[in-house]
Amino acid sequence: MVGQAGAAGRRDPQAQGAAVDAQGESVREDLLILARGVGRNPDPRASKIMPCLVPEVHRSPEQYAVYQEIVQPRRELTREVLRRGVQTGELRADLDVELATLLLTGPVLLQKIFKWNPDIDETDLPERVVDTVLAGLAPRP
């Protein structure tokens, strides 16, 4: 079962978005649920705190380890979905799972934390990112 990750997810099962069955309708559906949870936190203060924590995580090995501990479960869920997609033929056999995980998460997280591009409409950003990345990960004829 693709479920919750990180400290917030452990405290509040709905904090990072709904759980998704790893044998769901499609890889796309599961990746959308995971992408929609990126950067979401029920505490409105989190969006103001996270940009301030980034330099600390970068400078401090201890804070970096804590950050990795928080994001690792969700990252592993994404890997599982991608591996399933390779097994079912929805994704290319030569898929670089680590790079695909980064491509699916990075743009959404960057936009949510830093509002990196003010011209991007965040309403459907997870869908646009997932669909764009999946287009490149699809099996080739």
Side-chain angles (χ1 to χ4, degrees):
M1 173 111 161
V2 175
Q4 305 316 308
R10 286 192 294 271
R11 287 191 304 272
D12 176 3
Q14 299 303 313
Q16 296 293 322
V20 59
D21 184 344
Q23 299 301 319
E25 295 285 322
S26 68
V27 167
R28 180 185 183 273
E29 179 183 306
D30 290 351
L31 290 175
L32 281 174
I33 291 170
L34 288 167
R36 288 176 185 137
V38 171
R40 285 181 58 194
N41 193 306
D43 187 335
R45 296 174 296 178
S47 65
K48 302 214 183 315
I49 294 169
M50 284 306 296
C52 299
L53 290 178
V54 171
E56 186 60 28
V57 167
H58 182 71
R59 284 190 297 260
S60 165
E62 294 83 14
Q63 293 302 318
Y64 179 77
V66 170
Y67 171 75
Q68 291 302 319
E69 182 182 319
I70 290 169
V71 300
Q72 182 60 25
R74 181 169 290 274
R75 190 180 297 140
E76 185 55 35
L77 295 172
T78 303
R79 289 181 188 120
E80 289 172 14
V81 171
L82 292 168
R83 288 184 197 116
R84 187 183 84 233
V86 170
Q87 291 173 343
T88 63
E90 292 175 75
L91 302 176
R92 296 191 333 229
D94 66 343
L95 176 68
D96 181 334
V97 172
E98 293 305 315
L99 182 58
T101 299
L102 178 64
L103 291 169
L104 288 161
T105 306
V108 178
L109 189 60
L110 186 64
Q111 187 64 24
K112 289 213 177 193
I113 290 179
F114 294 109
K115 305 289 186 226
W116 188 77
N117 185 337
D119 297 328
I120 293 288
D121 179 7
E122 292 182 32
T123 308
D124 63 346
L125 183 60
E127 289 81 358
R128 292 181 4 226
V129 168
V130 167
D131 289 341
T132 300
V133 172
L134 284 179
L137 303 180
R140 295 184 179 145

